[in-house]
Amino acid sequence: MKFLSSRRRHPLAGFVVLVLGLLVMGGLYSMFRPAQAEQGANDKQLVAQGRELYVVSCSTCHGMNAEGVVTKTGDNYGPPLVGVGAAAVDFQVGTGRMPMADPGPGQAQRVPLMTPDETRALAAYIASLGPGPAIPSPGEYDAAHGDPAKGGLFFRTNCTACHNFAGSGGALPHGRQAPDLMKTPPKYIFEAMETGPGQMPKFSNGVMTPQDKRDIISYIQHLKTTPGYGGLKLGSLGPVSEGLWGWLIGIGGLILIAVWIGNHGVRAGKKSK
Amino acid sequence: MTEGPHPTDGHPDGAGHDLAALSPEEPIPNPGLPPHEPRPTDVDAAQERRAERQVAGMFILAALLALAFCVLYFVIPPPSDQSATFMGYGASNLALGLTLGLALLLTGAAAIQWAKKLMGNQDIIEARHSTASPPNVREEQVAAFKLGVAESGFGRRTLIRNSMFAALGMLGLPAIVLLRDLGPLPGNLTSITVWKRGIRVVNDVSGTPLRPSDIAEGQLVNAEPALFFDEVGPNGKVIKAKYTGTALNDQKAKAAVILVRMLPTDIKSAQERAWGVNGIVCFSKICTHVGCPISLYEQQTHQLLCPCHQSTFDLTEDGKVVFGPAARPLPQLPIMVDKEGYLVARSDFHQPVGPSFWERG
């Protein structure tokens, strides 16, 4: 003790204490956060795996380093993917829209080419290129924690113009279409609102909070279970399918029945002939 | 019905032979009616009784179904959030529709069955008559009318006749005066909205004020003026919405806007860029064709499509019409950022929003 107390005013004492303190803190940190360190190593592996998949499946259009490929006319052959975030990759690859089967307007939902693990690796790689929205956790899109009444107000204001009043999708200019939301899992609805895939505009968390998004998802789930009080829904496409049904099957059927009644004689003589 | 010549079996060259006998009014020989053939129900008593039972059975079933409709109307509660369902359909609507529909269908089917199987089916010819009355009847009518004119003194008592014209003519005036109830004239209400310098642009439904940093590139915000929502003031006090009820709907119909953000370099018009904030531009949400709300925005082409009649506006060039029946560009609302960093209007719209009207020219 005398050794320490006699040197406590030594010019280097403060420095030694600081170094000791840092060592203790560093030691404690590494003791209590081992998982994080391992996660980091794991992430590195995942990113490397994603990079390999990316080079094979995506780089033709999006460029070797996801910088995008610009055509001669100045349009994007494939847009840059730096900063689009893991959520965008999870949506595009998880719903089978990417890798694209053939270039054209409006990529529709298909059977995904990538396995969930491969999708996660790709998402990790793209997320490592720049900050962007992360894949939402199941709690964020849990319909049970949303308010369907408020979600209905948001839905009718923001979604119905393209996706139809009953969420059954609709036509867009130039042969594109807004998909049917009744078949879309809640996670992808959340990711689509956040990342704005294709022509769909973004609804960022700053304006439409995650709670607002959960309300919308809750309303869409509610739509799925709403009984058909009005009878046959005919795809919930509004006047188009209802008019087609009325004119072709309704009026057309009545005409056929009238013709059948007029032709169908009941004379004994005809039977005996 | 005049008797036409009938070709008979005795004349193999009948057509040529009878040609001279045909009158110009009836150039084709009248074939007459086919012989009447009896139906099974005409000749078989058992069949007749069976048809009778069928018709009566359908009528009785229709009557019972109509009765069932009345019973089910009271038994099954009408559609509401908690009402009963059957195979995914509302039980009440399904039951009422089925009973009433089947009752009507069976009534019709019974009537047709009755007419086809049991009612007399001898063919009858009903000759067509000239529509004009015989000349003597017409002369009598004209004479009676002339007598009536003479006896009423319509031509002679001009004072009475003209005063009657005045009375009938004046009756038209109240009808014209009542048209005033269509007014008063709207004045400049069709040309102005509630937007003014400094009014915040807030997200519709939630009323959240917007900072430029909240709005991502490619974002669409369906927005309204802050006056339509309760606001929390700087000192924590709640400022009540200025408009509610009918007044709110009146104002909302004109003031609804959309905010979109694109790269400032994507905007082709210098004025549009100047009226926005870093590529965030604000346009009226009311279509200039017939006033539908438009928010079908394509974030890559920057085109806004109206779902009603497919008018398409280019939001990179002052909202000009690129397709469809709309005749004018979509009005843009100039915006800026206030001291607290929120997006606010810089002024009202510089053009009337919504569909054209007479004074707008």
Side-chain angles (χ1 to χ4, degrees):
Chain A
M1 271 298 133
K2 206 178 174 195
F3 175 79
L4 282 179
S5 57
S6 62
R7 282 165 180 83
R8 66 176 193 269
R9 296 196 193 278
H10 191 275
L12 286 174
F15 180 71
V16 170
V17 167
L18 187 71
V19 167
L20 275 176
L22 282 172
L23 275 175
V24 169
M25 282 312 290
L28 281 175
Y29 180 84
S30 63
M31 267 172 71
F32 284 104
R33 303 294 298 272
Q36 181 72 17
E38 243 168 65
Q39 186 72 37
N42 220 343
D43 273 355
K44 242 181 206 169
Q45 263 181 353
L46 207 60
V47 168
Q49 192 195 341
R51 162 84 192 162
E52 274 175 41
L53 284 166
Y54 176 86
V55 170
V56 173
S57 304
C58 320
S59 58
T60 311
C61 306
H62 293 291
M64 279 307 282
N65 294 303
E67 73 279 22
V69 174
V70 181
T71 60
K72 278 180 192 163
T73 54
D75 292 333
N76 277 317
Y77 190 52
L81 298 182
V82 178
V84 298
V89 179
D90 189 53
F91 176 86
Q92 297 283 2
V93 180
T95 60
R97 287 178 166 84
M98 293 284 157
M100 223 181 232
D102 57 307
Q107 295 297 312
Q109 191 163 350
R110 288 186 296 133
V111 179
L113 281 179
M114 302 269 177
T115 64
D117 283 339
E118 289 169 335
T119 308
R120 210 164 46 243
L122 267 178
Y125 168 62
I126 296 298
S128 73
L129 301 175
I135 299 172
S137 64
E140 284 184 87
Y141 50 82
D142 184 3
H145 292 104
D147 173 1
K150 196 165 182 217
L153 292 174
F154 279 121
F155 186 84
R156 286 187 289 274
T157 305
N158 294 288
C159 316
T160 49
C162 306
H163 290 288
N164 161 308
F165 59 94
S168 49
L172 299 179
H174 307 295
R176 289 183 284 263
Q177 56 166 323
D180 181 357
L181 298 180
M182 294 294 106
K183 298 172 194 151
T184 312
K187 180 169 88 159
Y188 295 134
I189 296 178
F190 190 100
E191 287 172 349
M193 287 191 271
E194 208 178 4
T195 62
Q199 292 292 351
M200 176 167 165
K202 287 175 195 155
F203 296 91
S204 70
N205 283 345
V207 180
M208 299 285 266
T209 64
Q211 179 59 47
D212 297 342
K213 289 189 171 77
R214 202 154 43 193
D215 291 347
I216 292 174
I217 288 168
S218 177
Y219 176 71
I220 294 171
Q221 302 310 306
H222 173 77
L223 274 181
K224 286 185 192 171
T225 54
T226 307
Y229 288 122
L232 293 176
K233 288 182 182 175
L234 304 177
S236 297
L237 293 175
V240 175
S241 59
E242 281 165 21
L244 206 65
W245 180 274
W247 280 90
L248 286 187
I249 298 177
I251 297 177
L254 285 177
I255 291 171
L256 286 182
I257 290 171
V259 169
W260 177 74
I261 290 172
N263 280 342
H264 200 72
V266 275
R267 286 176 202 266
K270 275 188 184 168
K271 271 186 183 168
S272 61
K273 263 178 201 169
Chain B
M1 205 79 221
T2 51
E3 271 295 307
H6 288 267
T8 56
D9 296 339
H11 295 277
D13 55 344
H17 178 84
D18 287 324
L19 203 58
L22 289 169
S23 62
E25 287 81 24
E26 201 158 0
I28 294 168
N30 181 0
L33 290 172
H36 177 248
E37 287 182 55
R39 299 164 293 187
T41 45
D42 292 333
V43 291
D44 186 352
Q47 290 250 29
E48 188 190 346
R49 276 197 303 279
R50 193 163 152 259
E52 192 179 3
R53 279 199 304 275
Q54 279 176 355
V55 173
M58 283 194 275
F59 276 133
I60 291 167
L61 204 56
L64 290 177
L65 281 166
L67 212 61
F69 175 93
C70 301
V71 173
L72 289 170
Y73 176 86
F74 290 103
V75 170
I76 307 177
S80 74
D81 275 356
Q82 309 295 326
S83 63
T85 56
F86 182 78
M87 291 172 69
Y89 298 108
S92 175
N93 282 351
L94 192 68
L96 298 185
L98 277 182
T99 48
L100 194 62
L102 279 177
L104 288 168
L105 184 72
L106 284 171
T107 311
I112 289 167
Q113 185 77 340
W114 185 6
K116 292 213 116 182
K117 291 212 164 168
L118 295 172
M119 286 184 186
N121 74 334
Q122 295 279 352
D123 292 323
I124 321 165
I125 289 169
E126 206 175 348
R128 224 191 279 166
H129 300 286
S130 161
T131 46
S133 303
N136 58 333
V137 176
R138 287 155 75 180
E139 275 162 26
E140 276 171 33
Q141 290 295 329
V142 170
F145 180 76
K146 281 186 176 154
L147 185 67
V149 170
E151 286 188 344
S152 67
F154 193 79
R156 191 161 46 84
R157 300 186 197 278
T158 49
L159 179 64
I160 289 180
R161 188 191 65 194
N162 293 344
S163 57
M164 184 188 78
F165 282 157
L168 292 179
M170 283 303 164
L171 274 180
L173 279 183
I176 294 167
V177 167
L178 281 178
L179 290 177
R180 186 179 176 274
D181 286 355
L182 293 174
L185 289 171
N188 69 344
L189 281 181
T190 45
S191 304
I192 57 163
T193 72
V194 293
W195 286 109
K196 268 193 307 209
R197 190 178 177 84
I199 292 182
R200 276 185 187 164
V201 187
V202 299
N203 189 26
D204 200 352
V205 181
S206 63
T208 326
L210 307 163
R211 290 177 196 274
S213 56
D214 294 334
I215 301 173
E217 191 220 326
Q219 176 123 5
L220 164 73
V221 184
N222 289 283
E224 300 282 355
L227 305 171
F228 296 170
F229 298 91
D230 295 345
E231 260 185 296
V232 182
N235 48 2
K237 243 171 69 177
V238 175
I239 307 162
K240 281 272 170 206
K242 195 175 169 195
Y243 296 94
T244 51
T246 320
L248 172 65
N249 285 342
D250 283 350
Q251 297 305 331
K252 217 177 189 178
K254 295 188 289 181
V257 290
I258 55 158
L259 272 181
V260 300
R261 182 168 201 162
M262 52 188 108
L263 290 176
T265 47
D266 281 347
I267 301 175
K268 292 175 196 145
S269 146
Q271 180 192 278
E272 177 178 339
R273 209 175 304 130
W275 280 7
V277 175
N278 292 335
I280 303 174
V281 285
C282 186
F283 281 92
S284 166
K285 193 181 172 178
I286 314 300
C287 184
T288 56
H289 176 221
V290 284
C292 290
I294 17 174
S295 57
L296 203 161
Y297 171 64
E298 293 196 320
Q299 63 130 321
Q300 290 172 355
T301 60
H302 307 300
Q303 287 182 356
L304 191 69
L305 177 93
C306 180
C308 291
H309 306 100
Q310 283 71 51
S311 291
T312 309
F313 302 90
D314 186 355
L315 296 195
T316 64
E317 216 175 337
D318 301 318
K320 78 165 183 190
V321 184
V322 289
F323 182 78
R328 315 165 185 280
L330 212 54
Q332 188 183 356
L333 185 75
I335 53 170
M336 59 183 187
V337 177
D338 69 4
K339 276 180 209 152
E340 289 164 72
Y342 292 110
L343 290 172
V344 294
R346 212 185 288 173
S347 69
D348 195 357
F349 288 101
H350 289 223
Q351 285 163 12
V353 300
S356 298
F357 48 91
W358 191 266
E359 293 88 342
R360 188 178 166 175

